[in-house]
Amino acid sequence: MLDFHSHLLPGIDDGSRNIEMSVGMLNMWKEQGVSIVCATPHFYADSMSPSRFLDRRERSYFSLIEALKNSTYPRIYKGAEVHYFRGMSSSEDIGRLCLQSTKLLLVEMPFHEWSDYMIREISELRSMGFIPVAAHIERYMSGQPGKKIDALLDTGIMIQCNAEFFLSLRTRRKALSMLADRKIDFLGSDAHNLSSRMPNLGDAYKIIRKKLGDDSLLHIRKNEKMLTDAWQLTRSTEEAL
Ligand SMILES: [Fe+2]
């Protein structure tokens, strides 16, 4: 299992507060059988430059890796949850915020109504070769007019949903139906801590496997391969140097 969306790294956003909490979260993922966790701290362009963000992310990542030495934990891929900002399609740094060394860019859309300009910028990113992935799309479905959701999907954006979408009895039927129709491309926990927003991807997988069977996850696995292949390629390149 791969968790596409989490706030695992310590002390960088409103997720894990410190190394102990991050280690606790990694233990929960490990117990659930999750082998890869994408660390996607919030990036807000109006509060920090990409360079400063990436510098802070590196320091947070290495402090955690140092603490994990000699232990077995899920592998961590680095990325960001980029809050939509005006001009993101013309930002020279946008590629540096993609996940691992792929073109996958996790985008958090605003919770107010999306303008046509926003949709055009997402479309522009797609035509530039990036693969925007809309974070937790289920959280927008009741707040946006249907035509805005359709317009966003028409840009070719990929879709990430949170485990909670499957765990809540209120939304489970909709979540399973979207997954069966291959309308979900990635799954994540969006975990922030050990209690109120804890790693819970394993529980969602149990429900999916029970209700739809393992084959329903083939589409997700195919997409996740973009990340595992990129990681493998980076590793082979590093080893060759
Ligand atoms: Fe998030």
Side-chain angles (χ1 to χ4, degrees), residues 5 7 42 81 136 190 192:
H5 180 168
H7 299 269
H42 290 289
E81 181 179 11
H136 40 59
D190 199 2
H192 280 62

mmCIF file of all heavy atoms in Angstrom, residues 5 7 42 81 136 190 192, ligand 1:
data_model
loop_
_atom_site.group_PDB
_atom_site.id
_atom_site.type_symbol
_atom_site.label_atom_id
_atom_site.label_comp_id
_atom_site.label_asym_id
_atom_site.label_seq_id
_atom_site.Cartn_x
_atom_site.Cartn_y
_atom_site.Cartn_z
ATOM 1 N N HIS A 5 -0.844 10.915 0.417
ATOM 2 C CA HIS A 5 -1.033 12.256 0.981
ATOM 3 C C HIS A 5 -0.931 12.212 2.507
ATOM 4 O O HIS A 5 -1.763 11.574 3.154
ATOM 5 C CB HIS A 5 -2.429 12.746 0.526
ATOM 6 C CG HIS A 5 -2.817 14.107 1.006
ATOM 7 N ND1 HIS A 5 -3.902 14.776 0.486
ATOM 8 C CD2 HIS A 5 -2.301 14.930 1.953
ATOM 9 C CE1 HIS A 5 -4.030 15.943 1.079
ATOM 10 N NE2 HIS A 5 -3.070 16.054 1.978
ATOM 11 N N HIS A 7 0.841 14.404 6.241
ATOM 12 C CA HIS A 7 1.570 15.497 6.878
ATOM 13 C C HIS A 7 2.457 14.894 7.966
ATOM 14 O O HIS A 7 2.333 15.196 9.148
ATOM 15 C CB HIS A 7 0.588 16.557 7.391
ATOM 16 C CG HIS A 7 -0.212 17.124 6.242
ATOM 17 N ND1 HIS A 7 0.184 18.233 5.545
ATOM 18 C CD2 HIS A 7 -1.331 16.650 5.622
ATOM 19 C CE1 HIS A 7 -0.681 18.455 4.548
ATOM 20 N NE2 HIS A 7 -1.604 17.502 4.580
ATOM 21 N N HIS A 42 1.980 21.134 3.627
ATOM 22 C CA HIS A 42 1.286 22.256 2.975
ATOM 23 C C HIS A 42 2.291 23.249 2.415
ATOM 24 O O HIS A 42 3.259 23.614 3.095
ATOM 25 C CB HIS A 42 0.418 23.001 3.996
ATOM 26 C CG HIS A 42 -0.771 22.225 4.443
ATOM 27 N ND1 HIS A 42 -1.858 21.979 3.634
ATOM 28 C CD2 HIS A 42 -1.056 21.636 5.630
ATOM 29 C CE1 HIS A 42 -2.751 21.278 4.302
ATOM 30 N NE2 HIS A 42 -2.293 21.053 5.515
ATOM 31 N N GLU A 81 1.746 19.545 -0.691
ATOM 32 C CA GLU A 81 0.343 19.790 -0.998
ATOM 33 C C GLU A 81 0.261 21.280 -1.308
ATOM 34 O O GLU A 81 0.291 22.119 -0.394
ATOM 35 C CB GLU A 81 -0.556 19.424 0.189
ATOM 36 C CG GLU A 81 -2.028 19.657 -0.115
ATOM 37 C CD GLU A 81 -2.942 19.283 1.059
ATOM 38 O OE1 GLU A 81 -2.453 19.034 2.165
ATOM 39 O OE2 GLU A 81 -4.170 19.251 0.843
ATOM 40 N N HIS A 136 -7.972 15.361 -2.031
ATOM 41 C CA HIS A 136 -9.270 15.078 -1.380
ATOM 42 C C HIS A 136 -10.459 15.737 -2.094
ATOM 43 O O HIS A 136 -11.156 16.581 -1.503
ATOM 44 C CB HIS A 136 -9.246 15.453 0.101
ATOM 45 C CG HIS A 136 -8.519 16.719 0.450
ATOM 46 N ND1 HIS A 136 -8.869 17.943 -0.065
ATOM 47 C CD2 HIS A 136 -7.461 16.943 1.273
ATOM 48 C CE1 HIS A 136 -8.066 18.868 0.431
ATOM 49 N NE2 HIS A 136 -7.199 18.285 1.233
ATOM 50 N N ASP A 190 -4.118 11.589 4.389
ATOM 51 C CA ASP A 190 -4.047 13.005 4.789
ATOM 52 C C ASP A 190 -3.816 13.079 6.306
ATOM 53 O O ASP A 190 -4.318 13.970 6.982
ATOM 54 C CB ASP A 190 -5.349 13.726 4.398
ATOM 55 C CG ASP A 190 -5.212 15.238 4.343
ATOM 56 O OD1 ASP A 190 -4.094 15.747 4.569
ATOM 57 O OD2 ASP A 190 -6.229 15.911 4.104
ATOM 58 N N HIS A 192 -2.460 13.735 9.921
ATOM 59 C CA HIS A 192 -1.787 14.887 10.523
ATOM 60 C C HIS A 192 -1.185 14.559 11.899
ATOM 61 O O HIS A 192 -0.322 15.284 12.373
ATOM 62 C CB HIS A 192 -2.778 16.046 10.733
ATOM 63 C CG HIS A 192 -3.057 16.864 9.505
ATOM 64 N ND1 HIS A 192 -3.635 16.338 8.372
ATOM 65 C CD2 HIS A 192 -2.830 18.179 9.230
ATOM 66 C CE1 HIS A 192 -3.753 17.316 7.457
ATOM 67 N NE2 HIS A 192 -3.276 18.425 7.953
HETATM 68 FE FE FE B 1 -3.472 17.543 3.406
#
